[in-house]
Amino acid sequence: MRRKLHIGWLWSSILLMLLTACSSSDGTGEREPAMLTIYVYSPDNPMLIRAAVGNVNPTEAESRVTKLQIWIFETNTGNLVGYLNTSITDGLNTGTGASYQIPVSDDFASRKPDVDVYVLANVTEGTCGYVLNENTTRTNLQDAVLDADHFGLSSPVSVVSDDGIPMAGVLRNQPVIGDAPVLRIGSIGSIATVSLARVVSKLRFVFATTGPATLTIKDIQLNSGMIPVKGYLIPRSMSTVTYNNSEVSLLSSPVSLDGEVEDPTIYIYSGQEAQTYETLINGAGLTTIGPFYLHESDKRLTGKISYSIGGEDKESTFQMEAAGDFLRNHTWIVYGYHTGGGFLQMNTIYVKDWANKTESHEVYNW
Protein backbone atom coordinates (compact mmCIF):
# COMPACT_ATOMS: atom_id res chain seq x y z
CA MET A 1 0.00 0.00 0.00
CA ARG A 2 2.88 2.39 0.73
CA ARG A 3 4.39 1.53 -2.65
CA LYS A 4 1.19 2.63 -4.44
CA LEU A 5 1.16 5.94 -2.58
CA HIS A 6 4.82 6.53 -3.42
CA ILE A 7 4.21 5.81 -7.11
CA GLY A 8 1.18 8.13 -7.13
CA TRP A 9 3.23 10.92 -5.58
CA LEU A 10 5.98 10.39 -8.21
CA TRP A 11 3.52 10.63 -11.13
CA SER A 12 2.00 13.79 -9.65
CA SER A 13 5.44 15.41 -9.44
CA ILE A 14 6.24 14.56 -13.06
CA LEU A 15 2.91 15.96 -14.22
CA LEU A 16 3.53 19.19 -12.28
CA MET A 17 6.96 19.59 -13.90
CA LEU A 18 5.52 19.04 -17.38
CA LEU A 19 2.81 21.63 -16.80
CA THR A 20 5.38 24.14 -15.51
CA ALA A 21 7.62 23.57 -18.52
CA CYS A 22 4.74 24.07 -20.93
CA SER A 23 3.71 27.33 -19.30
CA SER A 24 7.15 28.94 -19.46
CA SER A 25 10.04 28.77 -21.92
CA ASP A 26 12.51 30.46 -19.57
CA GLY A 27 11.76 28.68 -16.33
CA THR A 28 10.49 31.80 -14.54
CA GLY A 29 6.82 30.96 -14.73
CA GLU A 30 6.20 33.96 -16.98
CA ARG A 31 5.06 33.49 -20.58
CA GLU A 32 7.43 34.77 -23.23
CA PRO A 33 5.96 37.92 -24.90
CA ALA A 34 4.99 37.82 -28.57
CA MET A 35 7.54 39.53 -30.81
CA LEU A 36 7.10 40.75 -34.38
CA THR A 37 10.32 40.66 -36.42
CA ILE A 38 11.01 43.44 -38.94
CA TYR A 39 13.75 43.15 -41.55
CA VAL A 40 15.28 46.46 -42.63
CA TYR A 41 17.51 46.56 -45.69
CA SER A 42 20.50 48.86 -45.98
CA PRO A 43 20.45 51.74 -48.50
CA ASP A 44 24.04 50.96 -49.56
CA ASN A 45 23.21 48.61 -52.41
CA PRO A 46 22.46 50.48 -55.64
CA MET A 47 20.58 48.94 -58.53
CA LEU A 48 20.94 49.36 -62.26
CA ILE A 49 18.01 51.23 -63.78
CA ARG A 50 19.36 52.27 -67.17
CA ALA A 51 21.77 50.04 -69.05
CA ALA A 52 23.68 53.03 -70.42
CA VAL A 53 23.75 54.98 -67.19
CA GLY A 54 23.66 52.75 -64.13
CA ASN A 55 24.39 53.90 -60.61
CA VAL A 56 27.17 55.27 -58.47
CA ASN A 57 28.23 54.34 -55.00
CA PRO A 58 27.32 56.67 -52.13
CA THR A 59 29.88 58.01 -49.73
CA GLU A 60 30.13 56.68 -46.20
CA ALA A 61 28.46 59.82 -44.86
CA GLU A 62 25.58 59.48 -47.34
CA SER A 63 25.01 55.88 -46.26
CA ARG A 64 25.43 56.22 -42.51
CA VAL A 65 22.47 55.28 -40.29
CA THR A 66 22.74 56.67 -36.78
CA LYS A 67 19.18 56.29 -35.55
CA LEU A 68 16.30 54.04 -36.59
CA GLN A 69 12.60 54.33 -35.75
CA ILE A 70 9.96 51.77 -36.63
CA TRP A 71 6.18 52.12 -36.32
CA ILE A 72 3.71 49.29 -36.97
CA PHE A 73 0.03 50.10 -37.46
CA GLU A 74 -2.98 47.94 -38.18
CA THR A 75 -3.85 48.62 -41.80
CA ASN A 76 -7.62 48.84 -41.36
CA THR A 77 -7.77 50.85 -38.13
CA GLY A 78 -4.49 52.78 -37.99
CA ASN A 79 -4.05 51.65 -34.38
CA LEU A 80 -0.44 51.44 -33.21
CA VAL A 81 0.76 47.85 -32.87
CA GLY A 82 4.33 48.56 -31.79
CA TYR A 83 7.16 51.09 -31.86
CA LEU A 84 10.95 50.89 -31.72
CA ASN A 85 13.58 53.62 -31.37
CA THR A 86 17.15 52.35 -31.56
CA SER A 87 20.71 53.38 -32.31
CA ILE A 88 21.79 49.77 -32.90
CA THR A 89 22.46 50.12 -36.62
CA ASP A 90 25.72 48.25 -37.21
CA GLY A 91 24.10 45.82 -39.65
CA LEU A 92 22.74 48.66 -41.75
CA ASN A 93 26.10 50.42 -41.82
CA THR A 94 27.91 47.36 -43.19
CA GLY A 95 25.90 47.47 -46.40
CA THR A 96 23.63 44.53 -45.65
CA GLY A 97 20.66 44.76 -43.32
CA ALA A 98 19.36 43.92 -39.87
CA SER A 99 16.39 42.40 -38.10
CA TYR A 100 14.56 44.12 -35.28
CA GLN A 101 12.02 42.64 -32.87
CA ILE A 102 9.11 44.63 -31.51
CA PRO A 103 6.84 43.31 -28.72
CA VAL A 104 3.14 43.09 -29.58
CA SER A 105 0.04 42.40 -27.53
CA ASP A 106 -1.50 38.95 -27.08
CA ASP A 107 -4.63 40.23 -28.80
CA PHE A 108 -2.66 41.22 -31.88
CA ALA A 109 -0.73 37.94 -31.87
CA SER A 110 -3.96 35.96 -31.91
CA ARG A 111 -5.71 38.07 -34.58
CA LYS A 112 -2.68 38.78 -36.84
CA PRO A 113 -4.33 41.54 -38.92
CA ASP A 114 -2.55 43.09 -41.91
CA VAL A 115 -0.17 45.88 -40.97
CA ASP A 116 1.51 49.01 -42.31
CA VAL A 117 5.18 49.46 -41.44
CA TYR A 118 6.91 52.86 -41.40
CA VAL A 119 10.66 53.12 -40.94
CA LEU A 120 12.61 56.36 -40.59
CA ALA A 121 16.36 56.77 -40.18
CA ASN A 122 18.33 59.78 -38.99
CA VAL A 123 15.27 61.90 -38.21
CA THR A 124 16.61 64.27 -35.55
CA GLU A 125 16.28 67.86 -34.44
CA GLY A 126 19.35 68.66 -36.49
CA THR A 127 18.33 66.98 -39.75
CA CYS A 128 14.61 67.71 -39.69
CA GLY A 129 13.97 70.36 -37.06
CA TYR A 130 11.92 68.05 -34.84
CA VAL A 131 11.75 64.55 -33.39
CA LEU A 132 9.09 61.87 -33.69
CA ASN A 133 8.17 59.31 -31.03
CA GLU A 134 5.77 56.54 -30.02
CA ASN A 135 2.89 59.03 -29.95
CA THR A 136 3.33 59.84 -33.65
CA THR A 137 0.29 58.60 -35.57
CA ARG A 138 0.16 57.15 -39.05
CA THR A 139 -1.33 60.41 -40.30
CA ASN A 140 1.46 62.35 -38.60
CA LEU A 141 4.03 60.24 -40.44
CA GLN A 142 2.31 60.72 -43.78
CA ASP A 143 2.33 64.49 -43.24
CA ALA A 144 5.86 64.81 -41.80
CA VAL A 145 8.02 67.16 -43.87
CA LEU A 146 11.43 68.73 -44.27
CA ASP A 147 11.02 72.50 -44.32
CA ALA A 148 13.00 75.08 -46.30
CA ASP A 149 15.66 75.25 -43.57
CA HIS A 150 16.36 71.52 -43.76
CA PHE A 151 17.64 70.46 -47.17
CA GLY A 152 15.70 73.29 -48.77
CA LEU A 153 16.81 76.26 -50.84
CA SER A 154 16.89 78.75 -47.97
CA SER A 155 20.21 77.26 -46.82
CA PRO A 156 21.36 74.49 -49.20
CA VAL A 157 23.11 71.61 -47.43
CA SER A 158 26.51 70.68 -48.85
CA VAL A 159 28.00 68.70 -45.95
CA VAL A 160 26.33 65.69 -44.36
CA SER A 161 26.07 66.19 -40.60
CA ASP A 162 27.03 63.60 -37.99
CA ASP A 163 23.33 62.68 -37.75
CA GLY A 164 23.33 61.56 -41.39
CA ILE A 165 20.80 62.04 -44.17
CA PRO A 166 17.10 61.37 -43.43
CA MET A 167 15.89 58.08 -44.91
CA ALA A 168 12.54 56.39 -45.10
CA GLY A 169 10.90 53.11 -46.01
CA VAL A 170 7.30 51.95 -45.90
CA LEU A 171 5.31 48.74 -46.39
CA ARG A 172 1.53 48.69 -46.57
CA ASN A 173 -1.13 45.97 -46.32
CA GLN A 174 1.34 43.34 -45.19
CA PRO A 175 0.23 39.95 -43.81
CA VAL A 176 1.57 38.70 -40.49
CA ILE A 177 2.59 35.06 -40.24
CA GLY A 178 3.86 32.70 -37.56
CA ASP A 179 2.64 31.81 -34.11
CA ALA A 180 3.29 33.57 -30.83
CA PRO A 181 5.83 34.27 -29.56
CA VAL A 182 7.52 34.35 -33.01
CA LEU A 183 5.79 36.48 -35.65
CA ARG A 184 7.05 38.13 -38.82
CA ILE A 185 5.75 40.04 -41.83
CA GLY A 186 5.36 38.46 -45.25
CA SER A 187 4.45 35.03 -46.56
CA ILE A 188 5.90 31.64 -45.71
CA GLY A 189 8.03 31.71 -48.84
CA SER A 190 8.89 35.40 -48.89
CA ILE A 191 9.92 37.64 -46.00
CA ALA A 192 8.79 41.25 -46.38
CA THR A 193 11.73 43.64 -46.08
CA VAL A 194 11.66 47.40 -45.60
CA SER A 195 14.19 49.07 -47.91
CA LEU A 196 15.56 52.42 -46.81
CA ALA A 197 16.00 55.25 -49.30
CA ARG A 198 17.29 58.77 -48.77
CA VAL A 199 14.48 61.32 -48.86
CA VAL A 200 16.63 63.95 -50.62
CA SER A 201 18.55 64.08 -53.90
CA LYS A 202 22.02 65.31 -54.79
CA LEU A 203 23.15 67.94 -57.29
CA ARG A 204 26.73 68.94 -58.08
CA PHE A 205 28.60 71.01 -60.65
CA VAL A 206 32.00 70.17 -62.14
CA PHE A 207 34.13 72.53 -64.27
CA ALA A 208 37.27 72.36 -66.40
CA THR A 209 39.14 74.77 -68.70
CA THR A 210 42.12 74.62 -71.02
CA GLY A 211 43.13 78.16 -70.06
CA PRO A 212 45.11 80.31 -70.11
CA ALA A 213 42.21 82.80 -69.84
CA THR A 214 40.89 82.90 -66.28
CA LEU A 215 37.52 81.19 -65.85
CA THR A 216 35.54 82.26 -62.79
CA ILE A 217 32.15 80.83 -61.84
CA LYS A 218 30.34 83.84 -60.41
CA ASP A 219 26.94 82.35 -59.66
CA ILE A 220 24.78 79.24 -60.10
CA GLN A 221 21.03 79.75 -60.04
CA LEU A 222 18.05 77.44 -60.11
CA ASN A 223 15.00 78.86 -61.83
CA SER A 224 11.71 79.42 -60.01
CA GLY A 225 9.32 76.50 -59.63
CA MET A 226 12.08 73.89 -59.32
CA ILE A 227 12.40 72.71 -55.69
CA PRO A 228 9.51 72.25 -53.22
CA VAL A 229 9.50 74.57 -50.23
CA LYS A 230 8.76 71.50 -48.10
CA GLY A 231 9.63 67.88 -48.80
CA TYR A 232 7.81 64.86 -47.39
CA LEU A 233 9.61 62.18 -45.40
CA ILE A 234 7.28 59.41 -46.57
CA PRO A 235 6.82 59.21 -50.38
CA ARG A 236 3.51 60.63 -51.56
CA SER A 237 1.93 62.57 -54.39
CA MET A 238 3.60 65.91 -55.05
CA SER A 239 0.54 67.44 -56.69
CA THR A 240 -0.09 69.74 -53.73
CA VAL A 241 3.43 70.89 -52.90
CA THR A 242 4.55 74.51 -53.30
CA TYR A 243 7.77 75.29 -55.18
CA ASN A 244 10.28 78.14 -54.91
CA ASN A 245 8.70 81.24 -56.46
CA SER A 246 11.91 82.99 -57.50
CA GLU A 247 15.41 82.26 -58.73
CA VAL A 248 17.69 80.90 -56.03
CA SER A 249 21.48 81.14 -55.91
CA LEU A 250 23.46 78.07 -54.85
CA LEU A 251 26.82 79.84 -54.77
CA SER A 252 27.84 81.99 -51.83
CA SER A 253 30.96 83.45 -53.47
CA PRO A 254 32.73 83.28 -56.88
CA VAL A 255 34.97 80.31 -57.62
CA SER A 256 38.02 80.56 -59.89
CA LEU A 257 39.14 77.36 -61.56
CA ASP A 258 42.30 75.80 -60.22
CA GLY A 259 44.78 75.15 -63.02
CA GLU A 260 44.29 74.04 -66.58
CA VAL A 261 43.13 70.76 -68.11
CA GLU A 262 44.79 69.65 -71.31
CA ASP A 263 41.63 68.22 -72.86
CA PRO A 264 38.35 68.88 -70.98
CA THR A 265 36.36 67.00 -73.63
CA ILE A 266 37.53 63.64 -72.30
CA TYR A 267 35.34 64.25 -69.24
CA ILE A 268 32.14 64.60 -71.27
CA TYR A 269 29.79 61.76 -70.48
CA SER A 270 29.87 59.30 -73.41
CA GLY A 271 27.60 56.44 -72.41
CA GLN A 272 29.87 54.54 -70.01
CA GLU A 273 28.62 52.99 -66.79
CA ALA A 274 27.88 55.69 -64.24
CA GLN A 275 30.39 54.50 -61.65
CA THR A 276 33.08 54.50 -64.34
CA TYR A 277 32.20 58.07 -65.18
CA GLU A 278 32.05 59.07 -61.51
CA THR A 279 35.52 57.63 -60.95
CA LEU A 280 36.82 59.47 -64.01
CA ILE A 281 35.43 62.80 -62.79
CA ASN A 282 36.53 62.34 -59.18
CA GLY A 283 40.07 61.42 -60.10
CA ALA A 284 40.69 64.21 -62.58
CA GLY A 285 41.34 67.06 -60.15
CA LEU A 286 38.52 69.12 -61.66
CA THR A 287 36.82 71.99 -59.85
CA THR A 288 33.68 70.80 -58.06
CA ILE A 289 30.94 72.99 -56.60
CA GLY A 290 28.61 71.16 -54.28
CA PRO A 291 27.23 68.66 -53.74
CA PHE A 292 23.89 70.16 -52.76
CA TYR A 293 21.42 67.89 -50.97
CA LEU A 294 17.93 69.16 -51.74
CA HIS A 295 14.27 68.23 -51.42
CA GLU A 296 13.15 65.83 -54.11
CA SER A 297 11.40 67.37 -57.11
CA ASP A 298 9.27 66.03 -59.95
CA LYS A 299 10.20 69.00 -62.13
CA ARG A 300 12.71 69.18 -64.96
CA LEU A 301 15.35 71.26 -63.20
CA THR A 302 16.66 74.24 -65.15
CA GLY A 303 18.94 77.13 -64.27
CA LYS A 304 21.84 79.26 -65.36
CA ILE A 305 25.52 79.69 -64.61
CA SER A 306 27.03 83.17 -64.54
CA TYR A 307 30.76 83.24 -65.23
CA SER A 308 33.57 85.35 -66.63
CA ILE A 309 36.26 84.40 -69.14
CA GLY A 310 39.21 86.74 -69.34
CA GLY A 311 37.22 89.35 -67.45
CA GLU A 312 34.17 89.22 -69.75
CA ASP A 313 30.87 88.30 -68.05
CA LYS A 314 28.67 85.63 -69.67
CA GLU A 315 25.84 83.20 -68.91
CA SER A 316 25.06 79.61 -69.89
CA THR A 317 21.88 77.66 -69.14
CA PHE A 318 21.51 74.06 -68.06
CA GLN A 319 18.57 71.70 -67.85
CA MET A 320 17.76 68.21 -66.75
CA GLU A 321 17.01 65.53 -69.31
CA ALA A 322 13.45 64.90 -68.13
CA ALA A 323 10.94 65.68 -65.40
CA GLY A 324 11.19 63.22 -62.54
CA ASP A 325 14.96 62.82 -62.75
CA PHE A 326 15.34 64.55 -59.37
CA LEU A 327 12.95 62.47 -57.32
CA ARG A 328 14.28 61.24 -53.99
CA ASN A 329 17.45 59.17 -53.95
CA HIS A 330 18.67 60.56 -57.28
CA THR A 331 21.83 62.36 -58.23
CA TRP A 332 22.61 64.75 -61.07
CA ILE A 333 25.93 66.10 -62.36
CA VAL A 334 26.32 69.25 -64.45
CA TYR A 335 29.66 69.40 -66.24
CA GLY A 336 30.78 72.75 -67.68
CA TYR A 337 33.97 73.00 -69.72
CA HIS A 338 35.84 75.65 -71.69
CA THR A 339 38.09 74.72 -74.60
CA GLY A 340 38.61 78.18 -75.99
CA GLY A 341 36.34 80.77 -77.51
CA GLY A 342 33.89 82.83 -75.57
CA PHE A 343 31.47 80.37 -73.96
CA LEU A 344 31.22 77.58 -71.43
CA GLN A 345 29.91 74.31 -72.86
CA MET A 346 27.44 72.33 -70.76
CA ASN A 347 27.02 68.58 -70.38
CA THR A 348 24.78 66.77 -67.90
CA ILE A 349 24.37 63.24 -66.65
CA TYR A 350 21.50 61.86 -64.65
CA VAL A 351 21.93 58.85 -62.40
CA LYS A 352 19.66 57.21 -59.88
CA ASP A 353 22.17 56.18 -57.30
CA TRP A 354 21.77 55.15 -53.68
CA ALA A 355 18.82 52.94 -54.63
CA ASN A 356 18.30 49.53 -53.07
CA LYS A 357 18.60 46.12 -54.61
CA THR A 358 15.36 44.78 -56.00
CA GLU A 359 16.43 41.20 -56.60
CA SER A 360 15.44 38.59 -54.06
CA HIS A 361 17.95 37.79 -51.36
CA GLU A 362 18.18 35.42 -48.46
CA VAL A 363 17.35 36.83 -45.06
CA TYR A 364 19.15 35.42 -42.04
CA ASN A 365 18.61 35.87 -38.35
CA TRP A 366 21.37 38.45 -38.09
Side-chain angles (χ1 to χ4, degrees):
M1 187 70 178
R2 284 193 210 124
R3 183 177 301 171
K4 290 182 181 180
L5 288 173
H6 180 70
I7 293 174
W9 175 83
L10 178 62
W11 278 109
S12 298
S13 300
I14 293 174
L15 180 60
L16 178 61
M17 286 188 293
L18 288 174
L19 289 173
T20 301
C22 291
S23 66
S24 173
S25 60
D26 58 8
T28 64
E30 297 180 359
R31 185 171 56 185
E32 187 176 348
M35 306 292 286
L36 181 60
T37 299
I38 308 297
Y39 293 91
V40 181
Y41 200 49
S42 168
D44 282 358
N45 299 277
M47 70 176 184
L48 186 70
I49 67 158
R50 291 185 184 177
V53 178
N55 45 261
V56 296
N57 295 324
T59 66
E60 185 278 331
E62 293 166 349
S63 303
R64 182 173 58 243
V65 178
T66 60
K67 174 183 178 180
L68 195 74
Q69 293 173 277
I70 302 173
W71 292 261
I72 304 171
F73 301 96
E74 290 191 25
T75 297
N76 290 336
T77 66
N79 293 335
L80 181 67
V81 173
Y83 169 76
L84 177 69
N85 181 0
T86 180
S87 58
I88 301 175
T89 58
D90 290 348
L92 299 175
N93 289 321
T94 58
T96 53
S99 64
Y100 296 91
Q101 290 190 318
I102 300 177
V104 297
S105 68
D106 291 341
D107 173 67
F108 174 85
S110 63
R111 292 186 297 112
K112 292 185 286 192
D114 288 355
V115 296
D116 295 344
V117 181
Y118 290 78
V119 180
L120 293 178
N122 305 338
V123 174
T124 67
E125 185 74 31
T127 61
C128 300
Y130 54 85
V131 293
L132 302 172
N133 54 40
E134 67 275 11
N135 297 318
T136 302
T137 67
R138 185 170 61 178
T139 300
N140 293 153
L141 288 170
Q142 285 291 137
D143 293 339
V145 297
L146 295 169
D147 61 22
D149 293 326
H150 297 85
F151 300 96
L153 289 175
S154 64
S155 54
V157 174
S158 292
V159 178
V160 179
S161 73
D162 291 341
D163 287 343
I165 290 177
M167 306 176 190
V170 61
L171 294 175
R172 296 183 176 90
N173 302 308
Q174 296 295 308
V176 176
I177 63 170
D179 295 301
V182 182
L183 303 172
R184 61 182 174 86
I185 297 173
S187 62
I188 295 177
S190 177
I191 299 173
T193 304
V194 185
S195 296
L196 289 174
R198 298 157 191 81
V199 306
V200 299
S201 285
K202 180 171 67 172
L203 169 64
R204 65 179 182 137
F205 298 82
V206 180
F207 298 96
T209 181
T210 57
T214 300
L215 172 60
T216 298
I217 308 302
K218 303 183 72 174
D219 198 12
I220 299 174
Q221 291 185 329
L222 284 177
N223 291 337
S224 63
M226 295 290 102
I227 300 295
V229 176
K230 295 181 179 180
Y232 289 104
L233 289 181
I234 302 298
R236 59 181 291 177
S237 171
M238 302 183 69
S239 59
T240 60
V241 300
T242 302
Y243 296 82
N244 62 298
N245 57 13
S246 61
E247 292 183 343
V248 176
S249 174
L250 297 176
L251 197 59
S252 58
S253 59
V255 175
S256 295
L257 267 63
D258 300 324
E260 302 173 7
V261 177
E262 183 176 350
D263 183 7
T265 63
I266 67 175
Y267 303 109
I268 299 172
Y269 177 70
S270 57
Q272 65 266 57
E273 286 293 322
Q275 186 57 56
T276 301
Y277 181 72
E278 181 88 355
T279 302
L280 174 68
I281 288 289
N282 291 344
L286 306 181
T287 299
T288 298
I289 297 176
F292 302 103
Y293 301 97
L294 299 171
H295 297 164
E296 66 172 327
S297 174
D298 59 352
K299 303 298 183 181
R300 183 183 188 184
L301 299 193
T302 60
K304 66 181 179 181
I305 298 174
S306 302
Y307 59 97
S308 66
I309 295 178
E312 184 177 355
D313 291 341
K314 299 180 181 296
E315 289 183 353
S316 289
T317 61
F318 60 87
Q319 64 180 7
M320 186 172 287
E321 180 181 345
D325 282 355
F326 205 67
L327 290 174
R328 66 179 54 204
N329 223 32
H330 288 55
T331 184
W332 191 40
I333 298 172
V334 178
Y335 175 50
Y337 61 97
H338 177 239
T339 58
F343 292 94
L344 193 65
Q345 306 298 314
M346 306 305 299
N347 180 256
T348 63
I349 176 175
Y350 149 76
V351 181
K352 182 178 180 179
D353 77 349
W354 304 339
N356 302 297
K357 284 181 179 176
T358 56
E359 72 264 23
S360 60
H361 56 281
E362 294 184 46
V363 178
Y364 302 93
N365 291 321
W366 291 293

